[in-house]
mmCIF file of all heavy atoms in Angstrom:
data_model
loop_
_atom_site.group_PDB
_atom_site.id
_atom_site.type_symbol
_atom_site.label_atom_id
_atom_site.label_comp_id
_atom_site.label_asym_id
_atom_site.label_seq_id
_atom_site.Cartn_x
_atom_site.Cartn_y
_atom_site.Cartn_z
ATOM 1 N N ALA B 24 -0.234 -6.314 9.096
ATOM 2 C CA ALA B 24 -0.602 -6.289 10.541
ATOM 3 C C ALA B 24 -0.580 -7.685 11.021
ATOM 4 O O ALA B 24 -0.033 -7.874 12.117
ATOM 5 C CB ALA B 24 -1.979 -5.613 10.669
ATOM 6 N N TYR B 25 -1.120 -8.609 10.275
ATOM 7 C CA TYR B 25 -1.252 -9.973 10.615
ATOM 8 C C TYR B 25 0.176 -10.556 10.752
ATOM 9 O O TYR B 25 0.556 -11.268 11.770
ATOM 10 C CB TYR B 25 -2.168 -10.828 9.660
ATOM 11 C CG TYR B 25 -1.970 -12.340 9.921
ATOM 12 C CD1 TYR B 25 -2.614 -12.959 10.961
ATOM 13 C CD2 TYR B 25 -1.022 -12.988 9.037
ATOM 14 C CE1 TYR B 25 -2.337 -14.239 11.174
ATOM 15 C CE2 TYR B 25 -0.928 -14.412 9.340
ATOM 16 C CZ TYR B 25 -1.494 -15.006 10.337
ATOM 17 O OH TYR B 25 -1.318 -16.403 10.496
ATOM 18 N N GLU B 26 0.992 -10.438 9.786
ATOM 19 C CA GLU B 26 2.337 -10.988 9.734
ATOM 20 C C GLU B 26 3.150 -10.455 10.866
ATOM 21 O O GLU B 26 4.050 -11.180 11.501
ATOM 22 C CB GLU B 26 3.054 -10.772 8.488
ATOM 23 C CG GLU B 26 2.376 -11.533 7.283
ATOM 24 C CD GLU B 26 2.722 -13.012 7.219
ATOM 25 O OE1 GLU B 26 3.463 -13.495 7.979
ATOM 26 O OE2 GLU B 26 1.962 -13.704 6.452
ATOM 27 N N LEU B 27 3.060 -9.102 11.161
ATOM 28 C CA LEU B 27 3.761 -8.597 12.284
ATOM 29 C C LEU B 27 3.242 -9.087 13.651
ATOM 30 O O LEU B 27 4.164 -9.530 14.448
ATOM 31 C CB LEU B 27 3.609 -7.017 12.293
ATOM 32 C CG LEU B 27 4.455 -6.158 11.253
ATOM 33 C CD1 LEU B 27 3.835 -4.804 11.193
ATOM 34 C CD2 LEU B 27 5.988 -6.256 11.561
ATOM 35 N N ALA B 28 2.003 -9.313 13.774
ATOM 36 C CA ALA B 28 1.426 -9.770 15.032
ATOM 37 C C ALA B 28 1.943 -11.282 15.271
ATOM 38 O O ALA B 28 2.302 -11.638 16.379
ATOM 39 C CB ALA B 28 -0.049 -9.674 15.103
ATOM 40 N N LYS B 29 1.976 -11.901 14.099
ATOM 41 C CA LYS B 29 2.379 -13.328 14.229
ATOM 42 C C LYS B 29 3.849 -13.499 14.605
ATOM 43 O O LYS B 29 4.235 -14.471 15.356
ATOM 44 C CB LYS B 29 2.301 -13.966 12.790
ATOM 45 C CG LYS B 29 2.447 -15.411 12.651
ATOM 46 C CD LYS B 29 2.181 -15.750 11.211
ATOM 47 C CE LYS B 29 3.185 -16.911 10.704
ATOM 48 N NZ LYS B 29 2.871 -17.124 9.251
ATOM 49 N N ARG B 30 4.701 -12.467 14.304
ATOM 50 C CA ARG B 30 6.056 -12.396 14.725
ATOM 51 C C ARG B 30 6.297 -11.605 15.986
ATOM 52 O O ARG B 30 7.351 -11.253 16.316
ATOM 53 C CB ARG B 30 6.886 -11.742 13.607
ATOM 54 C CG ARG B 30 6.926 -12.669 12.327
ATOM 55 C CD ARG B 30 7.802 -12.335 11.227
ATOM 56 N NE ARG B 30 7.746 -13.454 10.365
ATOM 57 C CZ ARG B 30 6.878 -13.765 9.507
ATOM 58 N NH1 ARG B 30 5.783 -12.973 9.353
ATOM 59 N NH2 ARG B 30 6.905 -14.854 8.665
ATOM 60 N N LYS B 31 5.157 -11.343 16.615
ATOM 61 C CA LYS B 31 5.250 -10.642 18.091
ATOM 62 C C LYS B 31 5.945 -9.424 18.026
ATOM 63 O O LYS B 31 6.863 -9.073 18.735
ATOM 64 C CB LYS B 31 5.881 -11.679 19.143
ATOM 65 C CG LYS B 31 5.277 -13.097 19.051
ATOM 66 C CD LYS B 31 5.349 -13.676 20.369
ATOM 67 C CE LYS B 31 4.734 -15.109 20.591
ATOM 68 N NZ LYS B 31 3.807 -15.488 19.602
ATOM 69 N N ALA B 32 5.547 -8.542 17.041
ATOM 70 C CA ALA B 32 6.250 -7.325 16.776
ATOM 71 C C ALA B 32 5.878 -6.288 17.875
ATOM 72 O O ALA B 32 6.290 -5.105 17.881
ATOM 73 C CB ALA B 32 5.989 -6.716 15.348
ATOM 74 N N GLY B 33 4.967 -6.622 18.731
ATOM 75 C CA GLY B 33 4.551 -5.637 19.749
ATOM 76 C C GLY B 33 3.077 -5.133 19.607
ATOM 77 O O GLY B 33 2.230 -5.879 18.973
ATOM 78 N N LYS B 34 2.773 -3.919 20.163
ATOM 79 C CA LYS B 34 1.354 -3.490 20.139
ATOM 80 C C LYS B 34 1.122 -2.792 18.895
ATOM 81 O O LYS B 34 1.808 -1.790 18.639
ATOM 82 C CB LYS B 34 1.270 -2.536 21.377
ATOM 83 C CG LYS B 34 -0.006 -2.450 22.023
ATOM 84 C CD LYS B 34 0.031 -1.920 23.415
ATOM 85 C CE LYS B 34 -1.152 -1.249 23.558
ATOM 86 N NZ LYS B 34 -1.983 -0.437 24.167
ATOM 87 N N ILE B 35 0.083 -3.237 18.108
ATOM 88 C CA ILE B 35 -0.155 -2.693 16.841
ATOM 89 C C ILE B 35 -1.575 -2.138 16.660
ATOM 90 O O ILE B 35 -2.499 -2.661 17.137
ATOM 91 C CB ILE B 35 -0.047 -3.911 15.769
ATOM 92 C CG1 ILE B 35 1.407 -4.495 15.826
ATOM 93 C CG2 ILE B 35 -0.382 -3.388 14.256
ATOM 94 C CD1 ILE B 35 1.560 -5.744 15.107
ATOM 95 N N LEU B 36 -1.546 -0.970 16.086
ATOM 96 C CA LEU B 36 -2.758 -0.192 15.725
ATOM 97 C C LEU B 36 -2.954 -0.049 14.284
ATOM 98 O O LEU B 36 -2.006 0.472 13.648
ATOM 99 C CB LEU B 36 -2.872 1.183 16.433
ATOM 100 C CG LEU B 36 -4.015 2.009 16.008
ATOM 101 C CD1 LEU B 36 -5.398 1.480 16.536
ATOM 102 C CD2 LEU B 36 -3.749 3.470 16.729
ATOM 103 N N LEU B 37 -3.942 -0.447 13.590
ATOM 104 C CA LEU B 37 -4.253 -0.257 12.157
ATOM 105 C C LEU B 37 -5.394 0.758 12.129
ATOM 106 O O LEU B 37 -6.542 0.552 12.732
ATOM 107 C CB LEU B 37 -4.534 -1.549 11.472
ATOM 108 C CG LEU B 37 -4.760 -1.357 9.953
ATOM 109 C CD1 LEU B 37 -4.261 -2.598 9.240
ATOM 110 C CD2 LEU B 37 -6.150 -1.049 9.490
ATOM 111 N N LEU B 38 -5.140 1.834 11.354
ATOM 112 C CA LEU B 38 -6.173 2.893 11.144
ATOM 113 C C LEU B 38 -6.595 2.851 9.766
ATOM 114 O O LEU B 38 -5.838 2.991 8.811
ATOM 115 C CB LEU B 38 -5.597 4.259 11.629
ATOM 116 C CG LEU B 38 -5.217 4.515 13.028
ATOM 117 C CD1 LEU B 38 -4.244 5.659 13.212
ATOM 118 C CD2 LEU B 38 -6.455 4.601 13.909
ATOM 119 N N GLU B 39 -7.898 2.817 9.584
ATOM 120 C CA GLU B 39 -8.493 2.756 8.280
ATOM 121 C C GLU B 39 -9.504 3.988 8.164
ATOM 122 O O GLU B 39 -10.411 4.032 9.107
ATOM 123 C CB GLU B 39 -9.150 1.452 7.994
ATOM 124 C CG GLU B 39 -10.112 1.407 6.832
ATOM 125 C CD GLU B 39 -9.563 1.937 5.444
ATOM 126 O OE1 GLU B 39 -8.486 1.448 5.109
ATOM 127 O OE2 GLU B 39 -10.256 2.677 4.838
ATOM 128 N N LYS B 40 -9.404 4.729 6.999
ATOM 129 C CA LYS B 40 -10.359 5.827 6.758
ATOM 130 C C LYS B 40 -11.815 5.509 6.746
ATOM 131 O O LYS B 40 -12.658 6.046 7.400
ATOM 132 C CB LYS B 40 -9.929 6.409 5.418
ATOM 133 C CG LYS B 40 -10.738 7.558 5.024
ATOM 134 C CD LYS B 40 -10.209 8.183 3.751
ATOM 135 C CE LYS B 40 -10.186 7.369 2.586
ATOM 136 N NZ LYS B 40 -10.640 7.828 1.413
ATOM 137 N N THR B 41 -12.106 4.424 6.154
ATOM 138 C CA THR B 41 -13.533 3.874 6.197
ATOM 139 C C THR B 41 -13.537 2.505 6.720
ATOM 140 O O THR B 41 -13.640 2.258 7.925
ATOM 141 C CB THR B 41 -14.191 3.979 4.840
ATOM 142 O OG1 THR B 41 -13.377 3.372 3.745
ATOM 143 C CG2 THR B 41 -14.510 5.426 4.392
ATOM 144 N N PHE B 42 -13.632 1.426 5.760
ATOM 145 C CA PHE B 42 -13.668 0.059 6.240
ATOM 146 C C PHE B 42 -12.655 -0.696 5.600
ATOM 147 O O PHE B 42 -12.163 -0.326 4.479
ATOM 148 C CB PHE B 42 -15.079 -0.515 5.991
ATOM 149 C CG PHE B 42 -15.572 -0.285 4.565
ATOM 150 C CD1 PHE B 42 -15.298 -1.282 3.642
ATOM 151 C CD2 PHE B 42 -16.140 0.891 4.170
ATOM 152 C CE1 PHE B 42 -15.761 -1.094 2.315
ATOM 153 C CE2 PHE B 42 -16.546 1.048 2.836
ATOM 154 C CZ PHE B 42 -16.352 0.054 1.949
ATOM 155 N N LEU B 43 -12.293 -1.887 6.036
ATOM 156 C CA LEU B 43 -11.254 -2.697 5.436
ATOM 157 C C LEU B 43 -11.607 -3.020 3.956
ATOM 158 O O LEU B 43 -12.807 -3.417 3.778
ATOM 159 C CB LEU B 43 -11.016 -3.994 6.314
ATOM 160 C CG LEU B 43 -10.569 -3.852 7.620
ATOM 161 C CD1 LEU B 43 -10.177 -5.287 8.309
ATOM 162 C CD2 LEU B 43 -9.384 -2.887 7.863
ATOM 163 N N SER B 44 -10.757 -2.937 3.085
ATOM 164 C CA SER B 44 -10.889 -3.214 1.623
ATOM 165 C C SER B 44 -11.548 -2.191 0.904
ATOM 166 O O SER B 44 -11.892 -2.288 -0.303
ATOM 167 C CB SER B 44 -11.663 -4.692 1.403
ATOM 168 O OG SER B 44 -13.065 -4.409 1.517
ATOM 169 N N ALA B 45 -11.787 -0.955 1.396
ATOM 170 C CA ALA B 45 -12.498 0.164 0.810
ATOM 171 C C ALA B 45 -11.756 0.709 -0.279
ATOM 172 O O ALA B 45 -12.345 1.388 -1.295
ATOM 173 C CB ALA B 45 -12.802 1.168 1.821
ATOM 174 N N GLY B 46 -10.451 0.603 -0.435
ATOM 175 C CA GLY B 46 -9.665 1.182 -1.475
ATOM 176 C C GLY B 46 -9.528 0.379 -2.797
ATOM 177 O O GLY B 46 -10.525 -0.255 -3.179
ATOM 178 N N SER B 47 -8.334 0.437 -3.365
ATOM 179 C CA SER B 47 -8.131 -0.307 -4.620
ATOM 180 C C SER B 47 -8.501 -1.832 -4.388
ATOM 181 O O SER B 47 -8.902 -2.524 -5.259
ATOM 182 C CB SER B 47 -6.715 -0.197 -5.101
ATOM 183 O OG SER B 47 -6.512 1.169 -5.371
ATOM 184 N N THR B 48 -8.141 -2.346 -3.209
ATOM 185 C CA THR B 48 -8.261 -3.814 -2.926
ATOM 186 C C THR B 48 -9.813 -4.229 -3.268
ATOM 187 O O THR B 48 -9.873 -5.234 -3.865
ATOM 188 C CB THR B 48 -7.982 -4.069 -1.521
ATOM 189 O OG1 THR B 48 -6.572 -3.708 -1.317
ATOM 190 C CG2 THR B 48 -8.148 -5.547 -1.096
ATOM 191 N N GLY B 49 -10.701 -3.323 -2.793
ATOM 192 C CA GLY B 49 -12.119 -3.772 -2.883
ATOM 193 C C GLY B 49 -12.620 -3.564 -4.356
ATOM 194 O O GLY B 49 -13.661 -4.128 -4.745
#
Side-chain angles (χ1 to χ4, degrees):
Chain B
Y25 168 77
E26 293 286 351
L27 282 167
K29 188 173 138 185
R30 295 186 169 76
K31 308 204 178 351
K34 212 162 149 197
I35 301 168
L36 170 67
L37 186 147
L38 294 166
E39 162 55 48
K40 180 168 61 133
T41 53
F42 52 92
L43 301 189
S44 82
S47 297
T48 301

